[in-house]
Amino acid sequence: QVQLVESGGDLVQPGGSLKLSCTASRSIFSINAMGWYRQAPGKERELVAAITSGGNTNYADSVKGRFSISTDNFKNTVYLHMNSLKPEDTAVYYCHARRLDHGIMYDYWGQGTQVTVSS
């Protein structure tokens, strides 16, 4: 089992920056991949950014060059650094973890944190 607790969502003006944090209940060395998804009203949940245990990263085209994902292994925390925010970035952001356990891949989700980009 992996519990994920997110924080950092807020109301921010267009062009602003925000950092989301997600802390896992166990060492992220034991987690195969972590990432951030988002879901805007009336839209499907979409991948924003992900990072594997080997350090490989993947970003949605819409956030490349503006967002970056990083981890602090000692704090069991993954971060999403968001810059040059746009109104279309408004969504609930969910932390995700994928862990292989005895040959079975499990997916875990946080409760979500609201990001609103508006003037």
Side-chain angles (χ1 to χ4, degrees):
Q1 278 281 1
V2 180
Q3 281 79 47
L4 302 170
V5 179
E6 303 122 330
S7 62
D10 206 346
L11 169 65
V12 62
Q13 292 189 344
S17 298
L18 207 58
K19 184 176 80 172
L20 304 183
S21 302
C22 171
T23 300
S25 60
R26 64 185 303 150
S27 171
I28 61 176
F29 286 114
S30 69
I31 299 174
N32 299 84
M34 297 190 73
W36 292 91
Y37 286 71
R38 67 186 180 187
Q39 188 167 19
K43 295 189 176 181
E44 293 187 356
R45 191 173 295 189
E46 62 175 357
L47 173 69
V48 177
I51 185 167
T52 68
S53 57
N56 296 315
T57 57
N58 183 36
Y59 295 94
D61 287 342
S62 59
V63 306
K64 283 181 181 177
R66 300 188 298 122
F67 292 10
S68 65
I69 189 169
S70 66
T71 59
D72 184 329
N73 295 332
F74 294 102
K75 295 183 178 179
N76 297 332
T77 299
V78 60
Y79 302 100
L80 184 67
H81 308 266
M82 304 185 292
N83 298 311
S84 302
L85 282 161
K86 304 175 181 180
E88 50 264 43
D89 295 318
T90 296
V92 178
Y93 284 70
Y94 296 91
C95 182
H96 170 258
R98 176 163 288 178
R99 182 171 178 266
L100 182 65
D101 188 5
H102 293 89
I104 300 174
M105 196 66 78
Y106 294 92
D107 289 297
Y108 302 93
W109 295 92
Q111 80 283 358
T113 185
Q114 177 71 46
V115 173
T116 303
V117 184
S118 175
S119 55

